[in-house]
Amino acid sequence: MQRTVLKFGGTSVGDLDRIAHVADLVSWRASQGEKLAVIVSAMAGETNKLVGFARGAAGDNLSGPSFDDEYDVVVSSGEQVTSGLLALALRKRGLKARSWLGWQLAMKTSSAHGKARIMGFENSGLLDAVDGGEIAVIAGFQGVTDEGRVSTLGRGGSDTSAVAVAAALGAESCDIYTDVDGVYTTDPRIVPQARRLDKISYEEMLEMASLGAKVLQTRSVELAMNHQVRVRVLSSFAQPGEDNPGTYVCSEDEIVEKQIVNGVTYSRDEAKVTLYGVEDKPGVSARIFSMLADAGVNVDMIVQANARGPERANMVFTCTSADSENAEKILLESKADIGFESLSVSRDVAKVSVIGVGMKSHTGVAGTMFDALYRKGINIDVISTSEIKISVLIDAAYTELAVRALHTAFGLDAT
Amino acid sequence: MQRTVLKFGGTSVGDLDRIAHVADLVSWRASQGEKLAVIVSAMAGETNKLVGFARGAAGDNLSGPSFDDEYDVVVSSGEQVTSGLLALALRKRGLKARSWLGWQLAMKTSSAHGKARIMGFENSGLLDAVDGGEIAVIAGFQGVTDEGRVSTLGRGGSDTSAVAVAAALGAESCDIYTDVDGVYTTDPRIVPQARRLDKISYEEMLEMASLGAKVLQTRSVELAMNHQVRVRVLSSFAQPGEDNPGTYVCSEDEIVEKQIVNGVTYSRDEAKVTLYGVEDKPGVSARIFSMLADAGVNVDMIVQANARGPERANMVFTCTSADSENAEKILLESKADIGFESLSVSRDVAKVSVIGVGMKSHTGVAGTMFDALYRKGINIDVISTSEIKISVLIDAAYTELAVRALHTAFGLDAT
C-alpha cells in the first residue's frame, strides 16, 4: 500500500480559494490511488495575528514558563482551523476525510513550549484511517506534552510534523507543497540562470536550510535524515495533474550523478565582531565563547589572528545581526575581566557559501571559489569550511556579484 | 472552601482591552479569597468569522454528519484562543492561572455535533488546581465526544459550560458576566421604568429565556435547575470592587417575597398560520402536527375554533417566522390529503407574555392581563397558558404598547 504525506504551508492555505485549490490537488492525488495524510499550516497571517494577541495579553512577560505554554494554546488554534476547513473542502469533493489535532494523534513532544521537539506518536487509529481510504488532515506545528498540554514546534514546525507523520506511516514520500517549485542551485531572484535540482542530499539540504535558503525547517531535514524519509519540495501553485516534479531531498546513495557543488547560498543577516588586543593567555577564548553561549548568542565563524605580536591577538567572530547587540553589550561589560583593548561590530557583511557532497572526494573547490571571487575584486574577510561546505564572509555590497560569480564558476548556470 | 465559577461572553472578551478588564475583575475576585474557575467565550465576531469559513469551505453541504464534526473543530478554536489569552493576562497580574480546553477537562458530550449535550466531566485535576489556588480558565462552548472528537454545544453554549463546571465543583455561585447588569422585569429599551430583579426562580428564567429575553441560554438554566446551581447574571462593565449585585437565578424556595408577576416578555419573531375549513374528523390534528414536527417546525400556540359548524373547523397555530415558510409549503403540498379549504400566514404578529411563579397560588392574573390590554384597545388573537405564564398573540404594531400596559398593570414599574 503506497502511503504519501502531503504538506501545505500558510500561503498555500491562505484563504478559502487557496484551500479549494489545495483540495483539488489532494483530490487528484487520491484519484491516483495514493493513501494520503495531509499536514496543514495556519492560514497565512493568522499565526502572526495570534502571536500579537498573546504578546498583547501578556504585557512584558514574553517568554519563559509563565508565557510559553499559553502562547502555544493560542497560536496552535490556527492550524486547527485549517485542518477542519480542508477536511470540509475534501468532503465537498466526495472524499472521505477528517481532521486530526495534535492531542488526537497523540503527537507527543517535549515540554519545551514554543519550540518543542517531537518524541513520537502513538495513535494506530491514524494508520487504520489512512489505510481505510480516509484522508487524514493533520494540524501541523502542534503536539501534546506528557502533561497533556498543547505544545508547538517553533516556526516552520509543520514541515517537521509532516516528516514525523511520514516516518510513522512509512510513507513513500513526504511532499512539501510550497510557493516555489523545488530547491534551486541558488536564489533565482539574483541569478536568473539558477536551476531546479532534481535531487539533493539531506546533508546538503541541511547546509542550505541553515544558511538561509528558507525552503524547509532545519529540524525537519534532520528528522528526515534520521528516519530516511524521502522529502520532496514542489509547487502548490501547479494545477492538479500538471507536471510538477519538484526536488527530492534524499539519501546521498540515491543520487547517482553527484555534482561537486550543488548550491550557492548567501545570508545578509550577519554581523562581524572584532576584539582587538585580546590577551593571548590560555583559557581566554573558552571564557569569551562560553559567556556568549550562556547569553544565547549563536556564534558562527571564528578566527584568531596574531596580528600584534605574541602577547596580544585580534579575535574575530560572526553571529546574526540580531544577536550582535547582545554580544557587544556582554563583551563590553566584561572588558577588563576578559582583557581586550577595544571592540568593533560590523553589520555590513554577508556570508556566501558553496555546498556540495562532491567536495568530500574532490579537491580544489576552495581554490576555484577564492579565484572566482578574486577575479571580481571581492575581498574575503573570514573563511570557514565543513566537509561539504565552504563559507566566506565578504562586504555585503558584493553579495549578488559573489553569488553570480560562484554560480558560474562551478558550472551551475542553466544552459 | 468557597469555589466560584465566573463566565464572560464574547462582548466581554471582544478585544485585548476588554480581556484586560476581565483580568482585573477576576483578579479582584481572587483577592477576596475565592477559588475561581473562569469560563470564556470566543472574542466577539470570531465565531461568526469561523462559521463563515466553515460554510465557505463546505459549499452546499452545510449540515449533517459530513459537516457538523469539522464545523466543531473550526469554530471551537475561538474559545481556545480566549482561554489562553486570559490565562496570560491573569499571570501578568501575578496570579497563578492556566487554560483548560474541552478535551483536557474532559468535558464529555453527546455526539450531536454543533448542538451537543454535556454528559458530565471527569477531570479531578481541575478541582485540585482550583483548590490549590490556580485560576482555571476554561474554554466554553466546547467538549469532547466518546469518539475523541471535538464537539460544541450550540450558540450560547458557554453558559451551559459554566453551569456544568459549577455543578462539578460544587460552586457557591455561577456568575455570568454579561453586557447587562441583571435580569429585568422587561426590556428597558421599551419600558424605562423596568427594574432589575434581585432574584428570579429557575422556572421563571426558563420562560423568560425561551420567550426571547436573551440573557441566558435555555439549556444552561435547565442544567442549573437540575443541579441546583445558583446562577447570577451581572455586568462585565462594572469596575473591580464596584457594587454589582446582579440577579440571582435560584430555587423558588430561596425567594421570600414572591411577586405574582415578575416579568413581561415579548417576541416579534412569530408567525400565525390559519387553516380554514379543516375537516373535523378524528386524527386530523395529529396528522397535521406530526407532519410539521417531522419537518422540524417548532409549533408553539395551537387553537381550534369551530367557526364553521360541526363538520368544518378553523385551526390556528404559531411558529417562528423562519419556520413558517417551511410549514406553509408542507401543508399546501398535503392540502388534499389533510383536507382543508385554504391557508393564510400572518407574520405581523407578536407574542407578549407575563411570567411569575406567584401565579401558581394566585387567581385573577389572566383577568388583569386581558383587562389591561382591552383598555388600550389591543385585540387578543390567540391565548396560551402554563402554570407560571400567560401568553397572548397580538398585532405586532401594538407590541410596545402592550408591554408597557402590562408592566404597569402588574405593579412592576420602578418608583
Side-chain angles (χ1 to χ4, degrees), chain A residues 73-87:
Chain A
V73 170
V74 173
V75 299
S76 65
S77 67
E79 281 72 18
Q80 174 167 340
V81 171
T82 320
S83 64
L85 294 180
L86 182 57

Side-chain angles (χ1 to χ4, degrees), chain B residues 81-95:
Chain B
V81 170
T82 321
S83 64
L85 294 180
L86 182 57
L88 288 170
L90 290 170
R91 289 179 181 176
K92 180 183 177 185
R93 287 156 179 78
L95 295 160

Side-chain angles (χ1 to χ4, degrees), chain B residues 39-117:
Chain B
I39 284 78
V40 288
S41 300
M43 294 164 86
E46 201 59 21
T47 301
N48 286 339
K49 188 193 83 176
L50 294 166
V51 169
F53 278 168
R55 291 178 176 274
D60 302 329
N61 161 31
L62 296 180
S63 65
S66 66
F67 179 72
D68 300 341
D69 56 343
E70 298 299 342
Y71 166 91
D72 282 356
V73 170
V74 173
V75 299
S76 64
S77 66
E79 283 72 18
Q80 173 168 339
V81 170
T82 321
S83 64
L85 294 180
L86 182 57
L88 288 170
L90 290 170
R91 289 179 181 176
K92 180 183 177 185
R93 287 156 179 78
L95 295 160
K96 277 171 65 187
R98 73 155 274 202
S99 64
W100 293 81
L101 306 177
W103 60 273
Q104 290 171 325
L105 281 176
M107 179 71 79
K108 284 294 181 73
T109 73
S110 69
S111 296
H113 286 284
K115 47 182 189 300
R117 288 176 77 90

Side-chain angles (χ1 to χ4, degrees), chain B residues 127-144:
Chain B
L127 193 64
D128 293 344
V130 169
D131 285 351
E134 187 176 76
I135 300 173
V137 185
I138 297 172
F141 178 62
Q142 62 183 245
V144 61

Side-chain angles (χ1 to χ4, degrees), chain A residues 43-336:
Chain A
M43 294 163 85
E46 201 60 20
T47 302
N48 285 340
K49 189 193 82 179
L50 294 166
V51 169
F53 279 168
R55 291 177 177 274
D60 303 329
N61 161 32
L62 296 180
S63 65
S66 66
F67 178 71
D68 300 340
D69 56 343
E70 299 299 343
Y71 166 91
D72 282 356
V73 170
V74 173
V75 299
S76 65
S77 67
E79 281 72 18
Q80 174 167 340
V81 171
T82 320
S83 64
L85 294 180
L86 182 57
L88 288 171
L90 290 170
R91 289 178 181 177
K92 181 184 177 185
R93 286 156 179 78
L95 295 160
K96 278 171 66 187
R98 72 155 275 200
S99 65
W100 293 82
L101 306 177
W103 59 272
Q104 290 171 324
L105 281 177
M107 179 70 78
K108 285 293 181 70
T109 74
S110 69
S111 296
H113 286 284
K115 48 183 187 299
R117 287 176 76 90
I118 294 175
M119 315 301 274
F121 70 100
E122 297 163 0
N123 196 310
S124 60
L126 179 71
L127 194 64
D128 292 344
V130 169
D131 285 351
E134 188 175 75
I135 299 172
V137 185
I138 298 172
F141 179 62
Q142 63 182 247
V144 62
T145 66
D146 278 340
E147 296 78 33
R149 301 297 312 272
V150 175
S151 55
T152 67
L153 308 179
R155 279 300 172 104
S158 293
D159 290 344
T160 308
S161 303
V163 172
V165 171
L169 294 181
E172 192 79 5
S173 174
C174 178
D175 285 5
I176 310 284
Y177 281 88
T178 179
D179 51 2
V180 293
D181 67 350
V183 180
Y184 275 69
T185 49
T186 194
D187 185 343
R189 289 170 303 181
I190 291 183
V191 184
Q193 298 88 344
R195 286 185 297 111
R196 181 179 53 72
L197 295 161
D198 290 329
K199 292 182 178 178
I200 186 171
S201 71
Y202 297 120
E203 291 86 349
E204 289 169 321
M205 192 65 219
L206 273 177
E207 292 288 2
M208 303 278 254
S210 61
L211 289 171
K214 295 189 182 99
V215 180
L216 291 175
Q217 196 200 28
T218 304
R219 171 77 184 124
S220 70
V221 183
E222 287 171 5
L223 197 67
M225 185 162 68
N226 291 342
H227 291 87
Q228 293 290 305
V229 172
R230 298 177 81 224
V231 173
R232 184 160 61 136
V233 175
L234 68 174
S235 170
S236 70
F237 289 95
Q239 296 305 311
E242 189 181 333
D243 186 45
N244 188 17
T247 299
Y248 274 102
V249 185
C250 54
S251 162
E252 197 184 319
D253 308 338
E254 214 187 295
I255 303 172
V256 183
E257 283 285 337
K258 291 185 182 63
Q259 300 295 316
I260 299 172
V261 166
N262 249 331
V264 180
T265 64
Y266 66 96
S267 162
R268 288 199 186 89
D269 177 29
E270 304 286 330
K272 180 179 78 161
V273 180
T274 309
L275 294 171
Y276 297 99
V278 181
E279 283 184 57
D280 192 17
K281 59 186 179 190
V284 69
S285 305
R287 285 271 305 292
I288 291 171
F289 293 108
S290 55
M291 195 180 281
L292 292 168
D294 290 347
V297 174
N298 208 346
V299 170
D300 181 14
M301 302 161 140
I302 301 173
V303 178
Q304 185 170 318
N306 284 33
R308 298 274 308 277
E311 281 87 34
R312 293 272 168 179
N314 293 343
M315 172 142 351
V316 177
F317 68 90
T318 68
C319 59
T320 64
S321 276
D323 278 354
S324 66
E325 284 185 36
N326 197 13
E328 183 172 6
K329 180 166 154 282
I330 285 159
L331 291 170
L332 287 176
E333 281 169 6
S334 310
K335 190 177 173 189

Side-chain angles (χ1 to χ4, degrees), chain B residues 230-401:
Chain B
R230 298 178 81 223
V231 173
R232 185 160 61 136
V233 175
L234 67 174
S235 170
S236 70
F237 290 93
Q239 295 305 312
E242 188 182 332
D243 187 44
N244 187 17
T247 299
Y248 273 105
V249 185
C250 55
S251 162
E252 197 184 320
D253 309 338
E254 215 188 295
I255 303 172
V256 183
E257 284 285 338
K258 291 183 183 61
Q259 300 295 316
I260 299 172
V261 166
N262 250 331
V264 180
T265 65
Y266 65 96
S267 161
R268 288 198 186 89
D269 178 28
E270 303 287 331
K272 179 179 79 160
V273 180
T274 308
L275 294 171
Y276 296 98
V278 181
E279 283 186 57
D280 191 17
K281 59 187 180 189
V284 69
S285 304
R287 287 271 304 292
I288 292 170
F289 292 108
S290 54
M291 197 179 283
L292 292 168
D294 290 347
V297 174
N298 208 346
V299 170
D300 181 14
M301 302 164 140
I302 301 173
V303 178
Q304 185 170 318
N306 286 32
R308 300 273 307 277
E311 280 87 33
R312 293 274 168 177
N314 292 343
M315 169 136 359
V316 177
F317 68 89
T318 68
C319 60
T320 64
S321 278
D323 279 353
S324 65
E325 283 184 37
N326 197 11
E328 183 172 7
K329 180 166 153 282
I330 285 159
L331 292 170
L332 287 176
E333 282 168 6
S334 310
K335 189 179 173 190
D337 189 32
I338 297 168
F340 64 89
E341 291 168 356
S342 63
L343 175 155
S344 78
V345 178
S346 163
R347 293 183 185 90
D348 291 328
V349 291
K351 184 167 66 171
V352 176
S353 309
V354 298
I355 294 159
V357 283
M359 278 186 219
K360 289 183 187 177
S361 51
H362 281 75
T363 53
V365 176
T368 305
M369 182 179 193
F370 302 157
D371 185 57
L373 295 174
Y374 166 76
R375 284 171 185 278
K376 298 289 182 190
I378 300 168
N379 205 31
I380 298 172
D381 203 347
V382 183
I383 300 167
S384 80
T385 60
S386 79
E387 212 181 15
I388 64 165
K389 180 202 71 179
I390 305 174
S391 299
V392 295
L393 198 74
I394 62 171
D395 184 334
Y398 292 87
T399 310
E400 293 86 352
L401 184 65

